[in-house]
Amino acid sequence: MGGDPLKDVFVEEEASSLYPDFSRSASCCFSDDLGVSEENLAAYLRKREITYQEILQSHDMLRERLDKNNRKLKLARRQILSYTPGSFADVNLSDYHVPKTTAILIVGPKGAGKSSLVNRITRVIQDDEFAPARAQESYGMPSNGGTFFVQEYMIPRGGSASFCLCDTRGLSQISSSDNTDMIERWITKGVHHGEPVIWTSDDSDLKDRLIRDGCTCSEIRRKVNSVIFVVNAVEMMESESSYAHMISTAFNSPLLSFKDDKPAVVITHGDILSREERAQVQVLVGELLGIPPDKQIFDIPDSRDAATALTVCNLLRHCLEHADKNLRFFPKRNFTMSKVEGSGGNNKTRMTMFSIVLTLFLTVAIFWSIHEHGGQNVAHEARQDLLVFRSPRLYNLTREVQPKLSISVQNSESESEAVPNGEPSIDWRTARRLWYDEEKVAKAEGEPSFDWRTTRRLWYVE
């Protein structure tokens, strides 16, 4: 049932020639408790061999192409330099929270080469292999020094930085709980430039020094948008299973994953190993961490060749794309105006909406003021005019009417009896008009007019 025995033996012999420590490396992925059949194990060995050969071929082909033409390297460097947060996203940025600077967190064991990776990335982006080092590198035994504070490095240097690298202290090999707590703090609360990283296993003198020197950290706390996990290739080849267990435990922490995306992995110190050993470590790390070794693991040795520079650009492109892919979603934050104006006018959209709302508020306030106070002002003015008797119509009530000359005697006698000579007369038509106007004014004012009583007094006098 297991297939051709001779073929399986051939595959195992060839795999053992490629991997002298195959028995130890295979235990990272398969154990006796899993009950893996011989057929599945043979298929696993064939797949491992194919991956190993593809990695070797890709290294050779990449080096040959760049030796003939480095146009691809220039294009990759130009894409990194022209990056702005959100430029690799395929969504409407007005509905997402886009940071001003994309923060890439670099984590890994002590002595893995995190600070050396920062210097390598800076030299590649600046296209200057002799640029001074920005991050302090340790030399000699890993216990002699290292990074104890979170250090922030803007890329590109000296310009409008679109992303930054956050170098951190090496993971603790004594307590895995320290690693979990510190990673949780970085991911949930963000990172501070100059913030000390203190383990519970540190002695009291070191803790006092870190607390004293770490009081001047930056006020800016950046949210982590992507993670680079650094692994020492030499340690992976020579160390015991404890090193692999520490790497696997820290890498598989759910806090380092953004949704379904796991961190990118960088293998360093490959310049000490041969090309076959570097490919072997790349496959082993992929099996240990459960990620594709040819797509998500980047071999960056301490060398100055064009192939290494292009690998650095591909690493940054991978991290920035995944950072823009996992932007935080804020639905309908700017309503319809933000969707019309696109991704580049967040501030402009806010100002436009504020101006529109302010204009509408002022318009409503003006109309309300006219409606409330306009009728009262009209009634008040009419009442004042009637009080001072400026209207000629009211004057007609008190004017002296000259007796009319009658043609007939009867009419003359009736006129003289009705209206005596020299006495004031009332113009009833004018009085009725004033009464009607007075009713309109009373309705507008809501109370009886003063001139209505004046008219009645005049009428009584008459």
Side-chain angles (χ1 to χ4, degrees), residues 8 83 305 313 441:
D8 294 341
Y83 167 79
D305 57 292
C313 294
V441 174

Side-chain angles (χ1 to χ4, degrees), residues 303-324:
S303 58
R304 299 178 180 179
D305 57 292
T308 302
L310 183 58
T311 305
V312 169
C313 294
N314 293 335
L315 168 67
L316 295 177
R317 176 68 182 264
H318 176 87
C319 295
L320 297 176
E321 284 182 349
H322 284 265
D324 292 346

Side-chain angles (χ1 to χ4, degrees), residues 328-398:
R328 288 185 295 173
F329 181 59
F330 287 98
K332 297 181 181 180
R333 183 179 59 175
N334 291 330
F335 302 100
T336 307
M337 294 297 297
S338 62
K339 297 182 179 180
V340 173
E341 295 191 3
S343 60
N346 291 335
N347 296 331
K348 184 178 179 181
T349 303
R350 296 191 189 98
M351 294 301 298
T352 303
M353 294 187 65
F354 177 77
S355 302
I356 294 174
V357 172
L358 182 60
T359 304
L360 292 176
F361 175 78
L362 293 177
T363 304
V364 172
I366 292 173
F367 277 105
W368 178 83
S369 178
I370 293 175
H371 177 72
E372 290 293 330
H373 302 288
Q376 297 180 3
N377 293 336
V378 171
H380 181 71
E381 292 176 358
R383 184 172 63 182
Q384 293 297 329
D385 292 339
L386 292 175
L387 287 176
V388 297
F389 299 105
R390 293 180 180 179
S391 175
R393 294 176 296 175
L394 186 61
Y395 176 74
N396 292 332
L397 295 173
T398 59

Side-chain angles (χ1 to χ4, degrees), residues 102-115:
T102 301
I104 301 177
L105 183 68
I106 302 177
V107 297
K110 188 175 183 179
K114 299 182 293 297
S115 300

